[in-house]
Amino acid sequence: MNTIEQRLREIKIVPVIAINDVAQALPLAKVLVENGLPCAEVTFRTEAAAESIRVMRQAYPELLIGAGTVLTSEQVDIAIDAGVDFIVSPGFNPTTVKYCQQRNMPIVPGVNNPSLVEQAMEMGLRMLKFFPAEPSGGVAMLKALTAVYPVNFMPTGGVSLANVEEYLAIKSVVACGGTWMVPTDLMDKGDWEAIAQLIRDLK
């Protein structure tokens, strides 16, 4: 997990991506890598997710790839088989966490309150997804959790260009997840230059 955490700290922004068509995977990976954002959290909300991860992994071995919205052990197996570096889940499911630990696969489960943070810590986790970040109290809530618990967070959900710097200023924040630089409508149109510009705007 330390290596994943270190790479996430360097990258700072994790594009959370819903890919509708496997044909989008290669140009998307290319635009991410070439514009200095070598990371992708491909969500399992679409049927194209696993094959897209496989395509991205083969073409860009250096790309840091996470599987997002992973809800079951079966999806963990599919994600590992496709070649992911880490798993992300929207909530804290002890069964999924245990299964990832058995398979030696880093997982960043979602939490948004003290009880869930403590349950995650009990299972040895020290990096958690703060989700949904803005509806759960945003920066103020995260600061409150950080003051009490020795864990690191990846806030996702409502994070945007307007507030991302505020989140990243918190010492315990490893990186922020967001969708604004990889909008599905632009991917569906194949407007890779517009996406490239959104990625460059992060710098």
Side-chain angles (χ1 to χ4, degrees):
M1 179 63 97
N2 286 342
T3 310
I4 299 295
E5 187 173 318
Q6 199 171 4
R7 289 189 67 188
L8 287 171
R9 277 195 184 279
E10 290 166 3
I11 292 165
K12 292 192 173 74
I13 306 286
V14 178
V16 180
I17 306 157
I19 298 179
N20 291 321
D21 184 343
V22 176
Q24 298 169 352
L26 203 55
L28 176 62
K30 184 174 187 283
V31 82
L32 288 169
V33 170
E34 290 184 353
N35 289 279
L37 192 59
C39 182
E41 178 189 324
V42 179
T43 66
F44 267 52
R45 288 183 301 216
T46 71
E47 291 180 8
E51 188 57 31
S52 295
I53 289 168
R54 192 170 282 109
V55 167
M56 295 166 95
R57 169 57 67 226
Q58 288 171 353
Y60 294 94
E62 73 275 23
L63 192 66
L64 183 65
I65 305 177
T69 324
V70 172
L71 305 176
T72 66
S73 298
E74 182 187 10
Q75 287 179 327
V76 172
D77 285 336
I78 293 168
I80 291 173
D81 184 58
V84 295
D85 297 298
F86 64 103
I87 300 285
V88 183
S89 59
F92 178 74
N93 182 333
T95 302
T96 306
V97 170
K98 280 180 197 165
Y99 191 69
C100 284
Q101 290 173 332
Q102 286 167 11
R103 295 221 51 189
N104 200 28
M105 172 56 56
I107 180 169
V108 186
V111 300
N112 70 346
N113 65 56
S115 296
L116 291 173
V117 174
E118 291 190 23
Q119 288 176 55
M121 288 178 67
E122 186 71 17
M123 295 186 73
L125 298 175
R126 291 297 179 271
M127 186 165 82
L128 306 170
K129 175 179 177 174
F130 179 53
F131 179 82
E134 282 293 289
S136 298
V139 168
M141 180 62 164
L142 195 52
K143 284 180 177 176
L145 292 173
T146 295
V148 181
Y149 299 113
V151 297
N152 292 318
F153 293 97
M154 184 170 75
T156 308
V159 180
S160 67
L161 194 58
N163 61 18
V164 66
E165 290 301 330
E166 216 178 336
Y167 279 102
L168 289 172
I170 301 171
K171 193 177 176 184
S172 68
V173 170
V174 172
C176 289
T179 59
W180 76 91
M181 79 300 295
V182 281
T184 303
D185 62 328
L186 290 182
M187 285 196 290
D188 289 343
K189 287 180 199 167
D191 194 345
W192 305 111
E193 181 47 45
I195 292 173
Q197 187 57 55
L198 289 171
I199 293 168
R200 289 193 291 267
D201 289 344
L202 299 172
K203 305 300 175 191

